[in-house]
Amino acid sequence: MSDPATAGLVSYAEARSRVCNEARKLQALVAARGAAGCEPLDLLDAQGRVLAEEIRADRPFPPFPRATRDGYAVRSADLAALPASLTLVAEIKAGQGMPAALGPLLAGQAAAIMTGAPVPLGADAVVMVEYTSLAGQRVEIRRGAQPGENIVPTGSEACRGEVLLAPGSRLFYPEIALAASVGKALVDVYRRPRVAILSTGDEVVEIDQRPGPYQIRNSNSFSVAAQIKSAGGLPWQLDIAPDEPVKLARLIKQGLDADLLLVSGGVSMGKYDLVEAALAESKAEFFFTGAEIQPGRPVVFGRAVSPAGKGTFFLGLPGNPLSTMVTFELFGRPLLDGLSGAPPAGLTFPMARLQKGIKVPPGLTRFLPALLEGGAEAVVTLTPWRGSGDVVALARANCFVVVAPDRPEMQAGEMAPVMLRRT
């Protein structure tokens, strides 16, 4: 057991690195379980799941030299002098193969061809129909072509037997299209991890209850459950834990039976912030007990032992709704990736122009709710917010402006990195 007091506050980069390192270990453990950790699903039902098998090409891709434009298959050497008048000898449609009487294309000949159709032997280019005119059995071509133009060669996309998708790939629509193209109606995917959610605090009541004058409804449990679903996990909402050590410890032990325990609230330094002490009762090892970020500085990450003797990772999220949502995206999602059998997905920060300047105290990496608008010339404006409990501000935002700890001041018109809010 490690002492939470000595685990310490770390930078955002260090916290993210530690979480992703453990996530990669989890991915390896999931892969090592083999068939015991997998299930077969119909291809469309597997959307968003993580592939547990290799998907290989069952034939060359494409299986023939494929035309990419409607036009005429030609020998490029015949177009040395323009305009060129060629004899039309065939029409080749997609899906129907070559006309039976068509042999290799000879000098001075052309074949009408449709997009997706096989290019005949002897032809080495396809001229787009826009640059031609047809008169009876003669076609006039007004533009030259380079060898290979508008043709995809046989096997140039993939060879027969080539691995197209490796285990650990998440199946979104491009991957589903690829699996469908090789006839995979049924795919093996890793099972979804079960994630326990424990909200804490005497001030928290269930959402179907009328809160007292100084109480709040348990929105965190629902926002985190929605984030877990979007990350490919199965949320398990536990009872609300009161600010009482015995009941809190009992619920934490219950949650450690899941694949991951997420605790919302009780991880700060207040008199009734009891989560770290309750975790210590379960032989917790703390990797860090705070990160230099806003919102979300009190975030806690470690591993504890369940009553059955299983080591389970836990993530203690701050109780304020905005902090909870941000810290899940930064630290919870990569753990869900690993538990789902996928490598932790990297974060990307596209750039947008600041509508107004930003000035904040230095020393923390900040994720400030904002509204991103526009297309190629994207503009971002901070959403007015009143601290980490302002869930209304987050609902109005669609991204976060990321402010580096050594760049506390940014001018209007400056390009700033943003983190898009996931759906």
Side-chain angles (χ1 to χ4, degrees):
M1 179 183 73
S2 63
D3 184 353
T6 62
L9 183 73
V10 298
S11 69
Y12 160 67
E14 177 65 17
R16 174 81 183 182
S17 176
R18 292 188 188 185
V19 167
C20 288
N21 285 342
E22 297 303 326
R24 282 185 279 271
K25 295 177 186 177
L26 286 170
Q27 181 198 5
L29 289 173
V30 169
R33 292 181 192 146
C38 306
E39 61 179 334
L41 285 181
D42 290 336
L43 181 57
L44 199 54
D45 292 336
Q47 181 176 357
R49 301 290 292 273
V50 178
L51 192 63
E53 62 171 318
E54 290 183 339
I55 302 293
R56 292 179 176 268
D58 62 338
R59 57 180 182 164
F61 273 57
F64 49 81
R66 184 181 68 223
T68 62
R69 296 287 189 274
D70 290 343
Y72 294 91
V74 299
R75 295 159 55 100
S76 59
D78 287 342
L79 308 182
L82 296 173
S85 180
L86 306 178
T87 302
L88 186 64
V89 296
E91 181 180 81
I92 308 170
K93 298 179 180 179
Q96 293 187 359
M98 297 291 178
L102 180 64
L105 208 64
L106 303 177
Q109 294 182 337
I113 195 165
M114 311 304 165
T115 300
V119 177
L121 292 174
D124 65 354
V126 171
V127 177
M128 295 170 61
V129 70
E130 293 90 329
Y131 307 116
T132 69
S133 56
L134 183 64
Q137 292 302 111
R138 305 288 295 180
V139 58
E140 182 180 276
I141 298 180
R142 301 183 298 274
R143 180 172 176 174
Q146 297 297 315
E149 189 169 330
N150 297 324
I151 297 174
V152 181
T154 303
S156 59
E157 296 171 353
C159 300
R160 178 184 176 90
E162 183 177 337
V163 176
L164 304 178
L165 294 172
S169 303
R170 271 204 192 272
L171 297 171
F172 297 115
Y173 59 87
E175 292 80 9
I176 286 176
L178 195 54
S181 70
V182 301
K184 288 291 293 185
L186 197 69
V187 290
D188 287 336
V189 295
Y190 293 116
R191 296 187 184 277
R192 299 171 66 190
R194 187 172 66 146
V195 183
I197 308 166
L198 178 60
S199 292
T200 69
D202 290 339
E203 75 279 16
V204 182
V205 299
E206 298 294 352
I207 66 168
D208 57 355
Q209 295 182 15
R210 180 181 295 275
Y214 306 106
Q215 292 181 313
I216 57 173
R217 292 187 176 93
N218 186 18
S219 64
N220 280 355
S221 179
F222 284 83
S223 67
V224 171
Q227 288 176 290
I228 289 167
K229 283 186 174 182
S230 76
L234 293 169
W236 173 26
Q237 294 170 289
L238 301 175
D239 293 338
I240 297 169
D243 292 324
E244 193 281 309
V246 175
K247 291 181 180 178
L248 175 62
R250 176 178 59 80
L251 285 166
I252 282 177
K253 286 182 171 64
Q254 182 182 359
L256 290 172
D257 281 333
D259 297 303
L260 174 66
L261 170 63
L262 297 181
V263 183
S264 171
V267 295
S268 190
M269 298 298 290
K271 178 179 179 181
Y272 295 103
D273 291 331
L274 308 173
V275 169
E276 290 180 15
L279 285 165
E281 290 186 23
S282 294
K283 301 178 182 178
E285 176 185 9
F286 293 85
F287 299 133
F288 57 78
T289 53
E292 293 172 344
I293 60 173
Q294 185 202 28
R297 184 169 175 164
V299 64
V300 173
F301 175 54
R303 180 170 46 210
V305 180
S306 75
K310 175 174 68 77
T312 303
F313 283 101
F314 60 82
L315 193 61
L317 308 175
N320 285 322
L322 189 55
S323 300
T324 299
M325 297 178 202
V326 169
T327 48
F328 177 89
E329 290 302 322
L330 298 177
F331 309 119
R333 192 174 285 270
L335 291 171
L336 262 291
D337 283 337
L339 287 165
S340 300
L347 290 172
T348 56
F349 301 112
M351 304 296 286
R353 195 171 303 280
L354 287 172
Q355 183 73 26
K356 296 181 179 180
I358 297 174
K359 189 173 183 179
V360 293
L364 300 178
T365 302
R366 300 178 191 271
F367 298 84
L368 308 179
L371 185 64
L372 183 68
E373 298 177 293
E377 287 294 326
V379 175
V380 65
T381 307
L382 293 187
T383 302
W385 65 300
R386 295 168 177 80
S388 300
D390 190 354
V391 70
V392 176
L394 183 59
R396 293 171 177 164
N398 60 10
C399 71
F400 302 90
V401 172
V402 183
V403 182
D406 58 348
R407 289 291 314 280
E409 187 169 358
M410 304 178 76
Q411 305 299 322
E414 188 174 341
M415 300 300 289
V418 298
M419 182 177 76
L420 299 179
R421 197 188 80 183
R422 303 208 193 195
T423 56

